[in-house]
Amino acid sequence: MTYTRVRNQEFSITFKPLSNSSDTLYSHSEKLFEDIEDFLKRKYPNEFLIKSKEKVGIDFFTKKLVYGENFTFVKYGDGEIICMIGGTGKNCDDHPYSKKLGKLLEQSFVKLLRYYDDVYLAEWVDNLVKTRESYVNTNNLDPKFADYECFLTLDENLSDDKLVNFYKLLKNSNRKKIFVGPKKLRDVEHMLNLDKFIEVPLIDAFSKYDEVLNELLNFGVDDDNIYILCCSMMSCLICSDLKEINNKITLLDIGSGFDPIFGEKTRPKQPTAEKCFKYYREILPQNYTFKKTTHAINSLNKMLTSF
């Protein structure tokens, strides 16, 4: 669905599998659309302009991992969009906007959505949607969309085992896994059995972009590498630059997904450390019980110093 005005009339139909185990839509979505389009054109020639929009979620990406298929999940949220349109200040995680970053984000947005058919744009439905759509329409892009929150550790996502099962598959994968994020998330290294942890500043990660990219290149951008990115707006640039080098990789822009587990709550809908511990217990590092206590003490100290 695009957020443009309707002058005449539109009619939308949604197709959803009745069973999570069904692969019909997963494997044949394009063929399904072609069949429907062909039928309508034959029955109502020259009557309709027919368009499709694909949107996927956690089950889809879990199947991608199971079948060993590469994909890119990238988030251009309100912070990225504000930076792209020349906004001043910083995003909600204190990463500053700049003209240089805004220009690079614009370029990466177009490259990722124009040149690769395995890129999924995380879709949100509130802030700056019309601005995002103007970039899509101006550049004649046709993005595939994904649930914005599918990889985030949120209270809602802890109601079933879909998220932990995804990370369990990721942990047990023999593919090389490279993580880019701040020091506070260092324990992700053991949670997901990483092959490489590249540290970025907690604030203004983009200031170290050249060094981070060089470290990624020196490690090797090999076929089937999996990149897990928690480095704010810079994640989009990494996705674009690495795919330009090798398209046969998987890139996950996780954003704040691990914050409530190993750092602290940074979003309103995130669960407590206690809930995270119970939910992810099976794949957490063995010494995490101690770390959890330290986490609680640090949070309390931060609260006390704010008075």
Side-chain angles (χ1 to χ4, degrees):
M1 166 191 257
T2 54
Y3 293 84
T4 53
R5 292 180 61 190
V6 175
R7 294 300 185 102
N8 189 344
Q9 184 177 357
E10 292 183 3
F11 182 64
S12 300
I13 302 174
T14 300
F15 290 86
K16 294 172 64 176
L18 293 176
S19 168
N20 290 339
S21 61
S22 171
D23 277 357
T24 303
L25 191 57
Y26 176 85
S27 303
H28 307 292
S29 60
E30 292 183 5
K31 181 65 167 60
L32 179 64
F33 174 69
E34 288 172 2
D35 288 345
I36 295 169
E37 184 181 37
D38 181 63
F39 170 79
L40 290 174
K41 284 182 176 179
R42 282 188 287 107
K43 189 170 180 63
Y44 305 101
N46 303 316
E47 279 281 330
F48 302 116
L49 171 66
I50 305 169
K51 296 178 68 176
S52 69
K53 174 184 173 179
E54 182 176 12
K55 185 171 182 179
V56 299
I58 188 69
D59 288 333
F60 176 87
F61 293 121
T62 299
K63 289 180 180 180
K64 284 284 189 185
L65 277 188
V66 169
Y67 299 143
E69 298 173 353
N70 287 304
F71 64 92
T72 292
F73 172 87
V74 66
K75 297 162 74 175
Y76 285 84
D78 50 5
E80 286 81 1
I81 298 296
I82 291 171
C83 188
M84 287 163 65
I85 62 176
T88 58
K90 55 190 179 181
N91 71 0
C92 62
D93 293 316
D94 293 323
H95 293 265
Y97 303 134
S98 70
K99 289 183 179 179
K100 180 180 179 181
L101 176 57
K103 188 65 177 176
L104 290 173
L105 284 169
E106 282 186 294
Q107 293 171 357
S108 67
F109 185 85
V110 174
K111 285 181 184 178
L112 285 169
L113 299 179
R114 173 170 290 161
Y115 297 121
Y116 308 103
D117 62 3
D118 65 343
V119 172
Y120 296 85
L121 176 62
E123 183 183 36
W124 75 102
V125 293
D126 44 20
N127 298 332
L128 296 167
V129 168
K130 288 186 177 180
T131 306
R132 182 197 69 198
E133 292 300 332
S134 72
Y135 277 104
V136 168
N137 295 330
T138 300
N139 292 285
N140 196 28
L141 304 173
D142 185 22
K144 296 177 180 178
F145 289 99
D147 172 31
Y148 191 89
E149 298 180 334
C150 65
F151 297 123
L152 296 180
T153 299
L154 304 173
D155 277 312
E156 182 181 0
N157 286 345
L158 269 57
S159 62
D160 56 45
D161 59 2
K162 293 180 184 292
L163 184 60
V164 70
N165 283 344
F166 177 86
Y167 285 128
K168 194 185 301 182
L169 282 170
L170 197 55
K171 176 175 184 148
N172 293 329
S173 172
N174 292 324
R175 296 164 64 179
K176 287 183 183 176
K177 288 162 285 189
I178 301 95
F179 183 91
V180 183
K183 184 179 180 180
K184 70 175 184 177
L185 300 180
R186 188 85 203 191
D187 279 331
V188 175
E189 187 169 9
H190 301 292
M191 176 185 178
L192 298 180
N193 287 339
L194 300 176
D195 296 277
K196 179 74 171 175
F197 184 101
I198 298 177
E199 184 180 334
V200 300
L202 185 60
I203 295 175
D204 197 8
F206 178 62
S207 65
K208 298 294 183 183
Y209 186 66
D210 290 341
E211 293 95 320
V212 169
L213 185 59
N214 283 334
E215 196 168 348
L216 287 165
L217 298 182
N218 289 335
F219 186 73
V221 187
D222 303 319
D223 287 1
D224 297 324
N225 279 4
I226 298 175
Y227 296 87
I228 303 144
L229 310 172
C230 296
C231 45
S232 192
M233 296 175 283
M234 188 171 79
S235 296
C236 301
L237 308 185
I238 292 176
C239 289
S240 178
D241 287 345
L242 292 187
K243 281 192 78 68
E244 210 165 347
I245 295 166
N246 188 348
N247 188 31
K248 298 177 181 177
I249 57 176
T250 288
L251 294 135
L252 298 169
D253 181 359
I254 301 297
S256 61
F258 298 106
D259 284 359
I261 311 171
F262 298 115
E264 59 188 37
K265 289 180 66 171
T266 55
R267 302 291 189 278
K269 297 189 290 183
Q270 289 174 341
T272 63
E274 185 70 27
K275 286 183 180 178
C276 292
F277 176 69
K278 291 179 180 177
Y279 184 75
Y280 289 112
R281 183 193 298 264
E282 186 178 348
I283 59 173
L284 286 173
Q286 291 184 352
N287 64 342
Y288 183 63
T289 302
F290 172 77
K291 295 283 186 180
K292 180 173 70 74
T293 306
T294 304
H295 170 109
I297 293 171
N298 289 339
S299 298
L300 179 60
N301 286 338
K302 182 178 179 182
M303 224 168 41
L304 292 173
T305 55
S306 65
F307 286 104

